[in-house]
Amino acid sequence: MTTTPTPPVSAPTNPLFRLGLWWDGVIDRYNALPRLYKVVLVLAFALFVYALPLVRPPLIATDRIDFGGVMFACAAYALIALGLNIVIGYAGLLDLGYIGFYAVGAYTTGVLTSYHWAWPFFLALPVAVAVTMLTGVILGAPTLRVRGDYLAIVTLGFGEIIRICVKNIEWLGASAGIKDINHPNTIGPAPKPPFDPGGLFAIPRLEWNGITPSLDHEHATHFLVFGARDAIPYYWLLLTALIVVLLGDRLVKASRVGRAWEATREDEDAAELMGVPTFKYKLMAFALGAAIGGLSGAFYASSQSGYISPDSFPLATSFLFVAAVIVGGSGNRWGAMVGGVLVAYLPERFRDFADYRLLVFGLALTVLAITRPEGLLPPRRTRRAKMMEAEIEQLEEGPVDA
Amino acid sequence: MDLGALFGNFNNFLDFTVGGLVIGAIYALVALGYTMVYGVLQLINFAHSEVFMYGTFAVAWTFVLLHGTGDASWSLGRAVPILLVALVAAMLMSAAIALLVERFAYRPLINKNAPKLIALISAIGASFALAEAMGLRDRFAKWFGLDDNLANYVAPNKARDVYSNPVSIQPHGLFHIGGYSVTDVDLVVVVAALVMMFALDIFVRRTKFGRGIRAVAQDPEAAALMGVNSTRVVQVTFLVGGLMAGAAATLYMMKIGSTRQNAGFLLGVKAFTAAVMGGIGNLRGALLGGLLLGVMENWGSAVFGSEWKDVVAFVLLVLILLVRPSGLLGEALGKARA
Amino acid sequence: MPDTAKLLEVDDVTIRFGGLTALDSVTFDIREGEILGLIGPNGAGKTTCFNVMTGVYQATSGQVRFDGAPLAKLKRHKITKLGIARTFQNIRLFKSMTVLENVMVGADAHSKVGFWDALLRTPRHRHTEEESTTRAKELLKIVGITARHDELAANLSYGDQRRLEIARAMATGPKLLCLDEPAAGFNPAEKVKLMDLIRKVRDQGYTVLLIEHDMRLVMGVTDRIVVLEFGRKIAEGAPEEIRDNPAVIAAYLGVEEDEDAS
Ligand SMILES: Nc1ncnc2c1ncn2[C@@H]1O[C@H](COP(=O)(O)OP(=O)(O)O)[C@@H](O)[C@H]1O
Ligand SMILES: [Mg+2]
């Protein structure tokens, strides 16, 4: 066999693909580091993310809206995207009513910690997650047996049912919603308005004048006061939950469970014939996704305002979540989280964008589905496969003068 | 729960039943679009709800154009001339949207033989983009400086709100079935829907395109071998589905009188439910499913209260999928698996 | 080896699709440790036979028994766990998973690891993962895949994809390995190599059911042969008997004429 000289590989040249390759490069370099460096790097990154609402980087921070609140919303949406990524990205189940689970988690928390029962938040949290997971099982058990594309419609109906229910059931506050939901307990001395802000200590935030930062002691965050004044402690709490879920997601994905999900998504019948109980794994993905959605909803309910109403859960938002996961690259947890953050962040940072967001995300979905079915930041293996394809094509098209 | 509201009085029972049949006829017409596309492509055309919604706007716009914006209340007879024009406009509009969806959201994927999930996502994207485009039509008009000229059509700053037909059609009672006074509007809705379905049935059974549709639905590969141009067949399927949705939109506007940029969503989900109930892919099933859903939903709202009407429809869908996923007239789905 | 125990019995199985009878009262059995060939012209019902045996289709009438117990109504993954594994005529790998992962999915069939094991990284998770990785690598070596193990299945050459299907099926730890036209699309040299592989597999203690279109090929490797035509069994016996069977010759001649005509 003669070898033809390998022509230079022309990988797909679009900028998003290059972004993906750049990201792969970053990961590769990270992986090559000694373990100690890795730990330090990860901790530094985590610290930066925790500190973000206090650092308030210019351009990124929102001036007109409380940046801490925006960051809380970003973390909530990132958590939702992470949960939905298990359902859509890993197991390939199109859940269009995901907001329903978010609402179930929020309302369970609301009911348990507000005027019906005044449970402390951390007691209500696991109950809310369990109730949401159970809801997922009840909804999933009948529908996951039927064709995959029916699931989209059934889940959409579920999202709508939940909304109608909370709107019409007096016990759930009807259209007025639920007020005075318990916040998590403050750690340290409780605030005594109007003068003592409470908390163990105060952390000042940065104020930027152009590019010169200064400490702003007036708007300090009091550690760890969960009140109505400051969203940042809620952000920290939620971010912690997000990190825990992220770690769990990694472990489960890199196991037989993750393989079973992927195989089911790729070819359900073949998976079944290779011994994968596909229904069980689909239900597991669905229930886990639901539980994570419920978790996020519980944090949302007990956040700063302590108030939820049926209007907090429009079905269109559910669609935005789907867009977040798919646009971020179905099956890629970082991509999904970035998608979730963008969905929350862009309309707050660019107010004019808010009105157009559904249009933009709708168009993005269609354009993406048509042009790049793997999403913007597909799992790296898909990207490598693309490179190979390009290489092979080059070889085939190259001069055959052997 | 109040069973007495439904069964306590036979007249009431008839009232809810006949009322349900009328709205069910409209569901059935929209369901046809879902069922036909599904039959040919095995895909849920998620954007079909928007195909319908654009039709409803076409009807209202026709009235604004030919009558003006002054609120009026006409008898059916007086509205007939404009209604006929509106019917044509709505059918053209819906067909155009349907073809647009086929061309841009589906065909590129069908050609690539992409997974179904991707096609579904593409259609969902198209659906939201279309609904939002309608809700932002005032902004678009503004970009071109046309918001003043077109104010009556684009409803500046109120594009997302309810948009009413300036002419409300006063139904005129003809006769009673139980407690239900059957009006001329009801009669026209039901008869028109049945005629459309009948025509479609003949089209699918008797014409060359109809045979093509059936051939592709049964076995795409064999149909291709026998020289059926499947792209063409898919196009015709979307076109016909669009025409039916346009007709449904006209009947809907006659009966309901107003629409909204998100009016397609709920109706779309219900029409899809109707299609599944009847057995998706089956034209007569769509009729049966539509009528049945209309009636059951009305019964449900009588028993549980009207705010639960939509919930009844969704719960029905889940129950049907549980008990008989292939629908009432459908054959067993998923027979070819490996 | 005709006298070993019956592993799988196909007992008077009929299956109809609408008007078409794909299998018509077919009866045969497979004995432990043998290589049974299932041959017949295209559309004879060979793949349908696999589909009935693996639970994809339910027989219209008749019964399939494995180790003496009827398979009817068993879920497909349960049948796999009982010990029937198969490959597909049209390759059905998990394309966006790596070569190793594809085989691991098969190896997971008997794994007891669950969600909590994975989340808490229990010793059971570690052991099972190590064992199946080793086993998967072994199998990849046996079937002769030289590509990188972290390559995507979609990127393998056609021949390697076929071999990967065999490795994946073997990983489920079957008693009976069903291969649906594993040599389709191979050149003669590759075919010979594949037949060697099949023999090697049998020598490791598997029973093999081999669907093959090419009659000459089957002759060399099988212990017994069952011939289908139009859904009916027209012959059964040792390769030499089949070769001289007039009905079989007629069936194959008929096909060749058809193929010339088209
Ligand atoms: N799901 C099905 N629906 C209808 N006909 C089928 C189905 N599966 C197989 N058949 C038919 O059964 C016959 C046998 O097919 P098959 O078992 O694939 O043949 P072989 O594998 O021997 O080439 C063919 O005529 C085929 O068209
Ligand atoms: Mg075959």
Side-chain angles (χ1 to χ4, degrees), chain B residues 7-317:
Chain B
F7 298 111
N9 175 328
F10 189 64
N11 276 348
N12 279 358
F13 178 77
L14 281 178
D15 187 347
F16 285 114
T17 308
V18 179
L21 285 175
V22 176
I23 195 76
I26 294 175
Y27 293 159
L29 275 182
V30 181
L32 284 178
Y34 286 103
T35 228
M36 286 186 55
V37 170
Y38 199 93
V40 170
L41 290 177
Q42 272 79 53
L43 289 171
I44 300 172
N45 178 12
F46 208 89
H48 191 62
S49 46
E50 270 49 60
V51 170
F52 165 81
M53 182 270 286
Y54 273 75
T56 59
F57 273 90
V59 174
W61 288 338
T62 308
F63 272 91
V64 172
L65 184 70
L66 297 180
H67 163 74
T69 46
D71 282 333
S73 177
W74 290 358
S75 71
L76 182 61
R78 189 167 166 207
V80 160
I82 301 187
L83 267 178
L84 287 178
V85 181
L87 176 69
V88 174
M91 287 174 88
L92 287 179
M93 170 73 99
S94 292
I97 299 288
L99 289 179
L100 211 66
V101 169
E102 189 273 334
R103 177 65 190 81
F104 291 105
Y106 277 100
R107 202 184 305 163
L109 291 170
I110 297 165
N111 290 347
K112 277 189 224 164
N113 222 340
K116 275 186 187 180
L117 189 69
I118 301 294
L120 190 59
I121 286 165
S122 172
I124 290 171
S127 165
F128 271 81
L130 282 168
E132 284 303 301
M134 184 57 88
L136 292 166
R137 63 188 189 281
D138 53 340
R139 310 289 184 91
F140 299 146
K142 202 167 181 173
W143 292 356
F144 298 103
L146 291 172
D147 47 334
D148 283 338
N149 299 346
L150 296 179
N152 294 338
Y153 302 91
V154 299
N157 301 322
K158 287 197 223 103
R160 304 186 86 82
D161 297 350
V162 171
Y163 187 74
S164 298
N165 188 345
V167 176
S168 61
I169 294 164
Q170 278 309 313
H172 176 73
L174 295 179
F175 54 90
H176 283 259
I177 299 182
Y180 191 89
S181 162
V182 178
T183 66
D184 46 3
V185 170
D186 294 337
L187 208 62
V188 168
V189 168
V190 172
V191 170
L194 289 178
V195 168
M196 297 291 300
M197 298 227 150
F198 192 66
L200 180 64
D201 206 62
I202 290 181
F203 171 78
V204 169
R205 269 161 214 288
R206 300 278 162 81
T207 64
K208 179 166 154 269
F209 271 123
R211 276 194 298 276
I213 288 174
R214 279 188 298 152
V216 174
Q218 265 162 22
D219 190 341
E221 279 158 36
L225 284 178
M226 277 147 50
V228 178
N229 177 346
S230 69
T231 308
R232 206 53 197 276
V233 165
V234 171
Q235 249 178 345
V236 172
T237 309
F238 273 84
L239 177 78
V240 173
L243 292 174
M244 294 290 152
T250 313
L251 301 179
Y252 178 88
M253 289 303 278
M254 269 172 68
K255 179 94 183 133
I256 311 286
S258 65
T259 183
R260 201 176 180 174
Q261 49 100 16
N262 62 3
F265 170 73
L266 208 58
L267 201 119
V269 176
K270 287 187 186 171
F272 177 78
T273 305
V276 173
M277 269 172 82
I280 197 150
N282 184 317
L283 294 183
R284 291 166 189 194
L287 177 62
L288 182 67
L291 296 178
L292 215 57
L293 181 67
V295 170
M296 303 244 254
E297 188 183 79
N298 249 9
W299 288 351
S301 65
V303 173
F304 300 103
S306 61
E307 67 270 31
W308 297 105
K309 189 165 168 179
D310 302 335
V311 174
V312 171
F314 291 126
V315 170
L316 263 177
L317 175 62

Side-chain angles (χ1 to χ4, degrees), chain A residues 29-44:
Chain A
R29 232 169 299 159
Y30 165 80
N31 280 334
L33 290 175
R35 194 184 172 90
L36 181 68
Y37 284 34
K38 278 191 203 170
V39 172
V40 171
L41 261 181
V42 167
L43 286 181

Side-chain angles (χ1 to χ4, degrees), chain C residues 42-43 45-48 89 180-181 211:
Chain C
N42 254 332
K46 306 179 296 287
T47 301
T48 305
Q89 183 174 350
D180 196 344
E181 305 207 15
I211 289 187

Side-chain angles (χ1 to χ4, degrees), chain A residues 189-359:
Chain A
K192 292 187 202 70
F195 297 119
D196 181 3
L200 295 171
F201 50 85
I203 313 172
R205 74 181 200 191
L206 288 187
E207 201 51 58
W208 294 82
N209 189 353
I211 51 163
T212 34
S214 60
L215 288 181
D216 179 355
H217 286 278
E218 241 170 73
H219 295 101
T221 291
H222 296 266
F223 193 90
L224 258 170
V225 177
F226 293 100
R229 247 194 78 223
D230 191 354
I232 296 176
Y234 297 98
Y235 165 72
W236 286 334
L237 184 64
L238 183 52
L239 186 59
T240 310
L242 177 68
I243 291 172
V244 170
V245 172
L246 185 63
L247 292 176
D249 180 69
R250 268 181 76 119
L251 292 173
V252 173
K253 178 74 203 310
S255 79
R256 95 56 85 97
V257 178
R259 283 194 295 271
W261 282 335
E262 219 174 328
T264 307
R265 183 193 70 204
E266 286 288 302
D267 187 335
E268 189 171 337
D269 297 313
E272 182 81 14
L273 287 166
M274 290 307 131
V276 178
T278 54
F279 174 70
K280 176 178 145 189
Y281 280 100
K282 284 196 289 183
L283 191 60
M284 189 192 284
F286 201 69
L288 277 176
I292 294 173
L295 182 72
S296 190
F299 281 109
Y300 171 76
S302 67
S303 68
Q304 210 177 358
S305 68
Y307 166 70
I308 50 175
S309 78
D311 297 333
S312 321
F313 310 96
L315 206 52
T317 312
S318 206
F319 160 77
L320 286 179
F321 293 149
V322 174
V325 170
I326 290 172
V327 172
S330 199
N332 177 328
R333 62 177 80 85
W334 288 99
M337 285 195 296
V338 169
V341 168
L342 286 183
V343 166
Y345 177 75
L346 288 181
E348 302 293 354
R349 178 68 182 75
F350 309 97
R351 295 305 302 197
D352 293 340
F353 178 74
D355 292 336
Y356 293 96
R357 62 179 161 180
L358 277 168
L359 180 67

Side-chain angles (χ1 to χ4, degrees), chain A residues 122 144 198 268 299 372 395:
Chain A
F122 280 105
L144 290 173
E268 189 171 337
F299 281 109
R372 313 177 37 74
L395 282 172

